[in-house]
Amino acid sequence: MYKVSDFDLPILPDGTLHKGGALLHNLLLFGRVCKVLGMDVSPNRMIEVAHALAYIDLGNKLDVYHTMRALIVTRYRDLELFDQAFDLFWRRPTDDWTVLDLPSVGDERRGSMKFLMPAGATPSNGSEDGKPSPQLTLTAIVPTYSQNDILRYKDFAEMKAEELAEARAIMERLPQSLGFRQTRRFEVGKGPSLDLRRALRENMRYQGEILELPTRRLKVKPRPVVLICDISGSMERYTRIFLHFMHIFASTLDQVESFVFSTHLTRITHPIRHKSIDRALEEVGTTVHDWGGGTRTGEALRTFNYRWSRRVLGRGAVVLLITDGWDRGDPDVLRHEAARLQRSCHRFIWLNPLLDLPQYEPLTRGAQALLPSIDDFLPLRNLANLEMIIKELQKINWDARSTPTARQASGMRR
Amino acid sequence: MVQSVDSIQQALNQQDYVAERGLATAVFLSLKLGKPLFLEGEAGVGKTEIAKVLSRMLNADLIRLQCYEGLNASSALYEWNYAYQLLHLRLLEASGAGRDAMEAELFSRRFLQSRPLLQAIEASIAGKPPVLLIDEIDRADEEFEAFLLELLSDFQVTIPELGTIKTDQPPVVIVTSNRTREVHDALKRRCLYYWIDYPSFEKELRIVRAKAPDIEPLLAKQITAFIQELRQLDLFKAPGVAETLDWTAALVALDQRALTLDVVAETLGVILKYQDDIDMLTPDALQALHQRALVQAQDVQGV
């Protein structure tokens, strides 16, 4: 274990001993900033950073930057955020104190936190190399809580382009898993079965007397997810945001299969996985030929069952069907195929953008045909819905109602 | 035998396996380059069969590893025999052996149980490379795939207590997949890949004739034509070659000389295994299908 007092105090370029307290203080503050921004920062990690900084020339801002970046950032997607935070935080103060307003992210860190910008902690020759410091504000990336709140309850269909971008940023920060399943593979840990191999090896040191009984438990993994989204005419206002939603899921989760349909079912698993959303949308656009057409949900589900179910529904997949339930196809086909789909997956969930509206009732023939085979019938009209859905799904992980007949008898409806 | 694609194709034919040129080429290259052969295709098109045929053809043992979810090193590669180890431990204790001696004793070869993969490597080391069939890899999980990578590229196994076991003369490896999920590229990259499709009419007829030499020539043609027509329908599960052969055997067992509508209706369960598919064949649809098959069989010249 390190103690803070163990470290040599860094020497500033002009030869004076830096007031170590201030640097350490600011460093820890910066660590908290990074943590709030969603990076994986622990106190231990910050101690390592402090330790590492003792080995480099603090006068060289670039070295300091790379040291911190190497130790603090562990995921590619955090790099940009870190760069911005670093520029903002360690810039030479204009006034004695600057107030940096960093809004919170995520549920548990609601409300805004205020950080004091460090004074005098910035190396003196830091920003004098002629490089203009970029005018970036963190608020552009993470909306403040109050904005956030309005946005959370705003109908997706009424969002303007820049609001969509913000909504997307919020979606990206939601936990991206729809529950876990037990695999049949074991890992070390407390569990009901003995790990004989380890028992033998570890008890070697007691001259063969078996004193310790190591156990193992079943590993868990995120469930595969299948997204089937309606892109027919009646869904037009929502299509864009739902494609964003599918893109986020497809790019952050391992096993996601994506499909869209109006008159035909099209698999867009590969096109939607493109890193840039614009490229992804472009490719999806060229793959899909029935944008804004009529809705034949039954036919689409039939194609899914016949062509794809065996390849994508293995290992307890969760199926999310996004549609408003306006269907012009044959309700008998829909009833039959929906029932088959429910029997072949872990959970069959209908997300309906209209469900939250007070005047909406699922009375259309399509909705009536679909409902008996649905495990969960949930609204998806705004971000708050989405948060609720993900929370709900993570809760029902080990639901006992797993057999299809039991599920068909008692769906969770709302 | 392993001189040219032609010789492989002939040898496969001699074993009653009707192979297309592409498959014969893939098999030839696999044997020449010592690379595993990765076979994909619908259920029942003869993926597993090729391993059995190869083992007969090369006069080598067939070692089969059936994959399933959760398959791990202790069931695929090796496992220490804990019960014997514990028993032996008691004996060693009584004899007052030292710690090092004890460990050396306890983790020696005699307490190691080889599973299919290690068996294949050991047999290769002994100079008799077997045919190793890794069946339905898509049923295993990603962890197992990753585990196979080392084995398939280097044909070596490291057992911490014993050391590395390596062979320079690798076994013939056949990996099959029904594509219930995509197998990782890294694994495919180490293999030769071949997609086995449903056979053409001519090829399927030859398979039927090869497997049932005593069958009425007309019946063989009718069976093949019916199955070929059936595959054109929008079925949940189209019948594979395995179903064709089962059906042939069933019809021969029923002493049929020609395909009649009644018998087709009665034995439909041999070729269609989903209620939806059977429901789709209403009496009218079945009659039309039967009629088309008979006409097509009539049109085929020769035997």
Side-chain angles (χ1 to χ4, degrees), chain B residues 44-220:
Chain B
V45 290
K47 300 186 295 292
T48 304
E49 188 65 20
I50 192 102
K52 296 182 185 164
V53 168
L54 273 178
S55 94
R56 286 203 300 271
M57 199 175 107
L58 302 168
N59 198 15
D61 287 339
L62 176 68
I63 296 178
R64 177 175 178 161
L65 176 67
Q66 170 66 50
C67 296
Y68 53 87
E69 197 194 341
L71 177 62
N72 56 11
S74 58
S75 8
L77 193 58
Y78 69 90
E79 173 90 306
W80 290 103
N81 191 338
Y82 304 117
Y84 280 166
Q85 276 178 320
L86 285 172
L87 194 66
H88 198 69
L89 196 62
R90 288 280 165 225
L91 294 174
L92 284 174
E93 239 174 12
S95 73
R99 196 200 136 121
D100 286 347
M102 214 144 115
E103 197 165 318
E105 273 273 340
L106 216 48
F107 291 101
S108 58
R109 185 64 190 81
R110 59 192 278 225
F111 295 109
L112 192 73
Q113 295 170 310
S114 334
R115 304 289 193 217
L117 298 178
L118 184 58
Q119 281 167 18
I121 289 184
E122 284 180 330
S124 301
I125 292 172
K128 281 193 55 145
V131 174
L132 172 63
L133 169 63
I134 301 174
D135 213 6
E136 302 189 325
I137 180 83
D138 51 330
R139 283 175 188 263
D141 39 25
E142 289 83 3
E143 285 94 335
F144 184 70
E145 263 176 50
F147 164 80
L148 269 187
L149 291 181
E150 185 199 2
L151 190 93
L152 291 188
S153 45
D154 299 336
F155 295 101
Q156 70 171 33
V157 171
T158 304
I159 301 172
E161 296 88 350
L162 285 182
T164 301
I165 301 178
K166 186 174 168 51
T167 174
D168 297 326
Q169 201 187 355
V172 178
V173 183
I174 306 285
V175 186
T176 77
S177 159
N178 285 332
R179 224 157 64 115
T180 57
R181 70 181 174 83
E182 292 296 340
V183 173
H184 201 277
D185 284 345
L187 185 69
K188 288 186 177 175
R189 263 204 308 274
R190 284 164 174 77
C191 305
L192 294 157
Y193 177 85
Y194 190 78
W195 169 265
I196 303 190
D197 216 337
Y198 288 123
S200 62
F201 178 86
E202 287 73 23
K203 186 184 164 193
E204 192 158 29
L205 183 60
R206 278 169 61 202
I207 296 172
V208 170
R209 307 265 298 146
K211 291 286 176 180
D214 302 332
I215 196 172
E216 278 294 321
L218 180 65
L219 181 60

Side-chain angles (χ1 to χ4, degrees), chain A residues 63-82:
Chain A
D63 282 359
V64 173
Y65 159 77
H66 279 300
T67 307
M68 290 196 190
R69 192 165 99 147
L71 282 160
I72 293 174
V73 183
T74 52
R75 285 175 299 220
Y76 174 79
R77 64 181 158 100
D78 289 338
L79 280 179
E80 203 182 334
L81 209 54
F82 174 86

Side-chain angles (χ1 to χ4, degrees), chain A residues 197-211:
Chain A
R197 185 182 180 131
R198 279 176 59 231
L200 219 59
R201 289 197 66 81
E202 288 180 10
N203 287 299
M204 215 58 181
R205 68 185 110 125
Y206 307 122
Q207 296 291 308
E209 202 64 58
I210 306 290
L211 294 179

